[in-house]
Amino acid sequence: QVQLVESGGGVVQAGGSLKLSCVLSGRTFSDYSLGWFRRAPGKEREFVAAITWSGASTYYSDFAEGRFTISRDNALNTGYLQMSSLKPEDTAVYYCAATVWTPTLLHRSEVAYDNWGQGTQVTVSS
């Protein structure tokens, strides 16, 4: 079991940048993959990005590719989502999620993750 706490959300103007953090606690000695998802008003929660424990593999949604960067610092038990060139369409609650890695893990699938943070609000204004 692992607990996750997101932070770094807020209000930013279109074209700006924002960096989200996700601190993991608990049984963090396991090889956890980390994912970011978001839910915009009136929409279903959708995949944003994911990263394996070592960072050797990363996964991005189409809208995040080239604008968002996922990373992690295992010494600090912290994951990050660096967002740049933000658009009003990026406005959403962003969630951090973690699950134990397996060779067949579907990183883009919401149901693959066992542990979720509380979410942090990101608002992009025009």
Side-chain angles (χ1 to χ4, degrees):
Q1 57 188 24
V2 62
Q3 296 77 49
L4 303 92
V5 179
E6 304 101 326
S7 63
V11 180
V12 64
Q13 293 183 332
S17 300
L18 203 61
K19 188 173 185 178
L20 307 182
S21 298
C22 176
V23 178
L24 283 68
S25 62
R27 302 181 67 181
T28 56
F29 54 84
S30 299
D31 289 351
Y32 283 96
S33 286
L34 183 68
W36 288 93
F37 294 78
R38 72 183 188 184
R39 186 189 296 275
K43 297 183 178 180
E44 298 294 320
R45 187 157 60 186
E46 63 181 344
F47 171 78
V48 178
I51 188 170
T52 56
W53 179 254
S54 67
S57 297
T58 57
Y59 308 83
Y60 292 97
S61 64
D62 290 341
F63 65 80
E65 188 72 49
R67 296 193 299 128
F68 296 0
T69 301
I70 188 170
S71 63
R72 65 193 301 169
D73 187 332
N74 291 339
L76 299 178
N77 293 323
T78 303
Y80 305 95
L81 183 67
Q82 175 67 54
M83 304 183 291
S84 61
S85 301
L86 285 165
K87 307 173 182 179
E89 306 93 272
D90 295 319
T91 295
V93 177
Y94 284 72
Y95 299 88
C96 179
T99 190
V100 176
W101 180 88
T102 67
T104 58
L105 181 66
L106 301 177
H107 285 85
R108 294 179 174 86
S109 177
E110 179 178 349
V111 299
Y113 296 86
D114 303 305
N115 307 278
W116 292 82
Q118 82 287 350
T120 185
Q121 176 70 48
V122 173
T123 302
V124 183
S125 61
S126 301

